[in-house]
């Protein structure tokens, strides 16, 4: 029985849909805004977080009428609920700023629906798919500022000497900075952001930067390189270190990669549907690919959900799912440390 088959027949009853807005300053210097959908029915509430990055999309959603997402009804299966979402206008007031937002909002509603279905069945995800929630290893994703420095890494390492990191190299990383970071031996993933366009974190393919990173961190996973005639040869014999994130939206996207990957970053919202996410996890497991979870500055239920999924399916990976406190400009002194221990009595999609 497939993973999706284990949840597909769960019935779900929706009586009402509501939305709540969240916002927070971040360590990356921007104000993060998200929207949480709450689906209520039969005395339970399922929640899912829309992690669309553009504030304009959340503003437009706030202006949408209350009945814009009329999902009320009794669905004889989660599959029927998911199918009903195919006919929902996810952006009823304006088109999204980016095409990726369609999947992000669909995932918010899908995850809320699955959370509700599990709660109404008086169960949790791990039990439903016959797995365990294991202690969860996490790494901390952070950018190093402009101009870049190791200050943020040093601040977090002072509070937790065992803290592991996922960093975003930029062209202005010099040899001295790389050597300083590498000397700590705590950097596990380096995200080259080669697939981003039109964002504040775009990083053009840079052969000198790529070689500096590959040589300076010989044991780290290197995520999302952009392959050009100049950069592709740098990875000859190093393909096993390459991971993919931004282009991964389902099984077909994995099959389109330049070579079969050894690593994948799994961000549930990129998949849009529970079925696509579960199918891709199984596809990767069958081929021996190493998985780890990815975060998107979730501010509420979404963070719990990505931690749960990582705990159930890839708990030992370098999961970029650190508790929200790590994303604050001034994190507290008593930060949670890795691994995170799952709660004792979960329900729905609770970690």
């Amino acid at each position: 029985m497939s993973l999706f088959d284990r949840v597909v027949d769960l019935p779900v009853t929706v009586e009402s849909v509501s939305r709540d807005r969240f916002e927070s300053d971040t360590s990356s210097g921007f104000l993060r805004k998200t929207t949480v959908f709450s689906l209520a029915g039969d005395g339970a509430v399922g929640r899912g977080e829309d992690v669309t990055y553009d504030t304009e999309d959340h503003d437009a959603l706030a202006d949408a009428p209350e009945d814009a997402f009329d999902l009320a009804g009794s669905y004889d299966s989660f599959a029927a609920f998911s199918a009903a979402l195919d006919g929902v206008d996810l952006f009823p007031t304006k088109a999204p700023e980016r095409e990726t937002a369609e999947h992000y909002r669909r995932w918010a509603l899908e995850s809320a629906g699955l959370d509700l279905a599990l709660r109404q069945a008086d169960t949790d995800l791990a039990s439903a798919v016959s797995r365990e929630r294991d202690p969860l290893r996490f790494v901390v994703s952070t950018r190093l500022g402009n101009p870049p420095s190791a200050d943020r890494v040093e601040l977090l390492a002072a509070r937790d000497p065992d803290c592991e990191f996922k960093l975003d190299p930029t062209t202005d990383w010099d040899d001295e900075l790389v050597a300083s970071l590498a000397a700590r031996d705590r950097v596990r993933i380096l995200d080259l952001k080669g697939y981003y366009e039109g964002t504040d974190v775009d990083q053009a393919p840079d052969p000198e930067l790529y070689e500096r990173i590959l040589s300076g961190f010989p044991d780290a996973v290197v995520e999302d390189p952009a392959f050009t005639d100049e950069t592709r040869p740098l990875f000859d014999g190093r393909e096993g270190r390459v991971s993919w994130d931004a282009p991964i939206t389902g099984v077909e996207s994995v099959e389109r990669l330049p070579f079969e990957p050894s690593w994948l970053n799994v961000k549930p919202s990129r998949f849009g549907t529970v079925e696509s996410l579960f199918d891709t996890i199984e596809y990767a497991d069958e081929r021996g690919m190493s998985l780890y979870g990815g975060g998107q500055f979730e501010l509420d239920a979404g963070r719990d959900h990505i931690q749960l999924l990582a705990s159930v399916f890839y708990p030992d990976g370098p999961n970029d799912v650190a508790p929200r406190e790590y994303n604050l400009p001034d994190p507290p002194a008593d930060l949670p440390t890795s691994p995170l221990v799952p709660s004792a009595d979960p329900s729905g999609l609770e970690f």
Side-chain angles (χ1 to χ4, degrees):
M1 182 180 291
S2 72
L3 288 175
F4 188 62
D5 284 342
R6 294 181 182 274
V7 301
V8 70
D9 291 327
L10 288 171
V12 58
T13 297
V14 179
E15 296 170 357
S16 66
V17 180
S18 60
R19 306 186 299 269
D20 293 287
R21 180 83 163 263
F22 293 84
E23 62 180 55
S24 175
D25 290 321
T26 70
S27 60
S28 292
F30 73 99
L31 182 65
R32 180 60 161 133
K33 297 185 179 183
T34 69
T35 301
V36 169
F37 286 84
S38 296
L39 278 55
D42 285 351
V45 178
R47 305 171 75 235
E49 189 166 3
D50 177 2
V51 295
T52 300
Y53 280 100
D54 293 285
T55 295
E56 297 89 340
D57 289 338
H58 292 287
D59 290 342
L61 180 58
D63 292 336
E66 290 187 7
D67 61 355
F69 298 88
D70 184 9
L71 297 170
S74 294
Y75 302 88
D76 61 6
S77 67
F78 179 72
F81 172 81
S82 180
L85 292 178
D86 291 340
V88 173
D89 183 358
L90 299 176
F91 291 82
T93 55
K94 76 169 193 66
E97 296 293 308
R98 305 172 200 273
E99 185 179 350
T100 52
E102 293 277 355
H103 274 192
Y104 294 166
R105 188 159 294 170
R106 174 65 179 259
W107 175 254
L109 290 164
E110 285 254 343
S111 58
L114 180 59
D115 188 25
L116 180 60
L118 291 164
R119 291 173 186 273
Q120 289 176 345
D122 195 25
T123 190
D124 65 283
L125 179 65
S127 298
V129 299
S130 299
R131 301 230 183 168
E132 299 292 331
R133 293 175 308 127
D134 290 326
L136 174 60
R137 174 193 177 196
F138 69 81
V139 303
V140 176
S141 178
T142 189
R143 295 180 68 82
L144 301 188
N146 186 20
S149 76
D151 291 352
R152 180 75 180 181
V153 169
E154 291 172 357
L155 181 152
L156 293 172
R159 299 183 183 184
D160 176 14
D162 294 325
C163 188
E164 300 177 289
F165 293 93
K166 175 179 183 285
L167 304 178
D168 300 349
T170 57
T171 295
D172 45 5
W173 279 30
D174 58 22
D175 290 337
E176 182 179 356
L177 177 60
V178 168
S180 171
L181 294 168
R184 293 183 175 276
D185 193 26
R186 307 307 295 168
V187 178
R188 303 295 176 245
I189 307 171
L190 295 142
D191 184 358
L192 295 175
K193 302 287 188 189
Y195 282 78
Y196 285 77
E197 294 181 3
T199 74
D200 292 337
V201 298
D202 291 7
Q203 172 58 52
D206 181 339
E208 292 185 7
L209 172 66
Y210 284 17
E211 181 56 41
R212 185 175 298 124
I213 295 305
L214 287 164
S215 300
F217 302 92
D219 298 319
V221 173
V222 179
E223 188 175 279
D224 278 1
F227 284 163
T228 67
D229 290 345
E230 292 74 29
T231 62
R232 176 61 184 90
L234 300 175
F235 292 86
D236 288 343
R238 293 161 159 168
E239 288 88 351
R241 295 178 56 191
V242 175
S243 180
W244 307 98
D245 167 21
I248 305 306
T249 58
V251 170
E252 290 185 358
S253 66
V254 180
E255 294 174 336
R256 289 194 299 267
L257 293 172
F259 46 81
E260 183 164 290
S262 297
W263 294 86
L264 291 177
N265 181 342
V266 178
K267 287 181 176 164
S269 65
R270 294 200 192 279
F271 296 81
T273 68
V274 173
E275 182 175 18
S276 178
L277 172 65
F278 283 5
D279 286 351
T280 306
I281 290 173
E282 286 188 308
Y283 177 91
D285 283 346
E286 290 166 358
R287 288 158 179 78
M289 300 174 192
S290 296
L291 304 180
Y292 57 95
Q296 295 174 289
F297 291 96
E298 297 85 0
L299 301 180
D300 194 68
R303 202 65 172 184
D304 208 36
H305 294 176
I306 63 172
Q307 289 173 346
L308 168 70
L309 289 162
S311 172
V312 172
F313 296 117
Y314 27 89
D316 299 322
N319 293 292
D320 173 19
V321 300
R324 289 189 295 271
E325 296 92 328
Y326 280 90
N327 290 329
L328 296 173
D330 185 20
D334 56 342
L335 288 167
T337 58
S338 180
L340 297 175
V341 178
S343 61
D345 187 22
S347 180
L349 294 181
E350 289 178 348
F351 169 58

